[in-house]
Amino acid sequence: MKHIIKKSSLIATIILLFAGCKKITDINTSPTAASVDQTQVEYFIDNSIIHAQMNPGVSERAFVLYWLPGGRQMADADGATFAFADYSDEWIGEYYDNQSGALNTINSAIDVATQQIAAGTQKYYTNNLIQVSRIWRAYLISEMSDNFGPLPISGFLAKNPEFVDVKSVYYYMLDELKDATSKLVVSIAAVPQDVSAEDPAYGLNYAKWQAYGNSLRLRLAMRLSEVDPSKAQSEFEDAAKGSLITDQSQSWI
């Protein structure tokens, strides 16, 4: 009987030791943090779009009061408020922080989705979420580059990035849009409603995102017409072969 008790005690001790070891290995794992597999990519997309578009103070100050008048794209309005370009370092700092935050979030969407695919835990629509994120990222980069010039196109990779000239930025955006729109699978089954609700732009309507990506590529190509006419023509003509935004029904929801 004593032998049985000693043997049982030994087994119990071993089990407790293994259990203790497991707890030690888990000591650096937050019990409340979501893992990559638990993270929903669409949340990042929603956050990035809302972050970039729904801050009227930043958008008005940096774009309406700074960029539009400077480009002579706005006539007199509201008692000459907008008739001339103005500048404030505070405005520009707030705008830069706001847009770089949106870029950081959309890069997180791409990173998490890529990790899920590599781990084999992706959803049937995860690849499309990557392509939507790349199209939206290209837009954010275009707005940043048009306002600030050279940018780090390889940023948000947990290391100090190198800034590249505007020509390289534009070539990168054009390549990204071409590749992302071509990899969007518009024929796959619709995503669940709670997932599509996380896209405040098109409700994850992939056909509309593809048309938006092609149209954005067309627009960026036109901006090169004075400085790089051959590149502008080739990109414009190639983008025009795909679906494009042609009427109001294709605008954002």
Side-chain angles (χ1 to χ4, degrees):
M1 183 68 177
K2 291 182 179 180
H3 179 71
I4 294 174
I5 293 173
K6 288 181 179 180
K7 188 174 181 180
S8 299
S9 299
L10 179 61
I11 293 172
T13 302
I14 293 172
I15 291 173
L16 287 173
L17 284 172
F18 275 107
C21 289
K22 184 179 186 302
K23 290 180 181 179
I24 291 173
T25 59
D26 289 345
I27 195 169
N28 292 322
T29 302
S30 171
T32 58
S35 66
V36 170
D37 294 339
Q38 296 170 320
T39 304
Q40 305 302 308
V41 178
E42 58 271 18
Y43 291 171
F44 290 105
I45 295 174
D46 178 58
N47 184 290
S48 180
I49 294 175
I50 294 297
H51 193 87
Q53 298 293 308
M54 297 301 290
N55 187 334
V58 169
S59 299
E60 180 176 316
R61 288 175 178 175
F63 193 70
V64 177
L65 296 180
Y66 175 62
W67 182 249
L68 280 181
R72 301 297 185 264
Q73 298 179 52
M74 180 175 284
D76 187 15
D78 192 24
T81 303
F82 303 119
F84 58 90
D86 204 351
Y87 175 84
S88 166
D89 188 61
E90 180 185 359
W91 297 351
I92 304 309
E94 290 177 358
Y95 173 80
Y96 192 94
D97 288 344
N98 189 77
Q99 295 304 98
S100 60
L103 269 169
N104 183 48
T105 304
I106 205 61
N107 273 283
S108 295
I110 296 169
D111 180 51
V112 168
T114 302
Q115 289 186 55
Q116 290 178 352
I117 291 175
T121 58
Q122 75 275 17
K123 308 286 196 312
Y124 67 89
Y125 50 81
T126 300
N127 170 69
N128 272 7
L129 295 186
I130 291 179
Q131 310 318 323
V132 165
S133 299
R134 292 172 70 195
I135 292 169
W136 175 242
R137 179 175 64 180
Y139 167 74
L140 291 175
I141 292 175
S142 74
E143 192 172 321
M144 288 281 281
S145 185
D146 287 345
N147 277 282
F148 296 104
L151 287 177
I153 57 177
S154 60
F156 306 98
L157 299 176
K159 61 181 180 181
N160 194 27
E162 292 185 8
F163 281 65
V164 298
D165 57 77
V166 174
K167 177 180 178 180
S168 298
V169 173
Y170 261 74
Y171 274 46
Y172 171 77
M173 291 187 295
L174 291 168
D175 287 344
E176 277 287 283
L177 290 169
K178 180 178 181 178
D179 191 60
T181 52
S182 70
K183 289 179 178 176
L184 262 177
V185 183
V186 300
S187 60
I188 69 171
V191 299
Q193 187 174 1
D194 62 326
V195 177
S196 64
E198 299 300 329
D199 173 13
Y202 286 126
L204 290 179
N205 182 318
Y206 303 127
K208 288 187 175 182
W209 270 108
Q210 191 174 65
Y212 175 76
N214 289 329
S215 298
L216 179 57
R217 185 178 166 210
L218 207 72
R219 177 184 179 186
L220 296 179
M222 290 174 65
R223 292 181 181 174
L224 295 176
S225 59
E226 295 292 328
V227 294
D228 199 346
S230 61
K231 178 68 171 178
Q233 181 176 351
S234 63
E235 292 287 343
F236 185 97
E237 292 176 350
D238 191 54
K241 296 175 183 177
S243 59
L244 300 170
I245 295 176
T246 55
D247 58 65
Q248 186 64 27
S249 68
Q250 295 168 294
S251 357
W252 282 22
I253 56 176

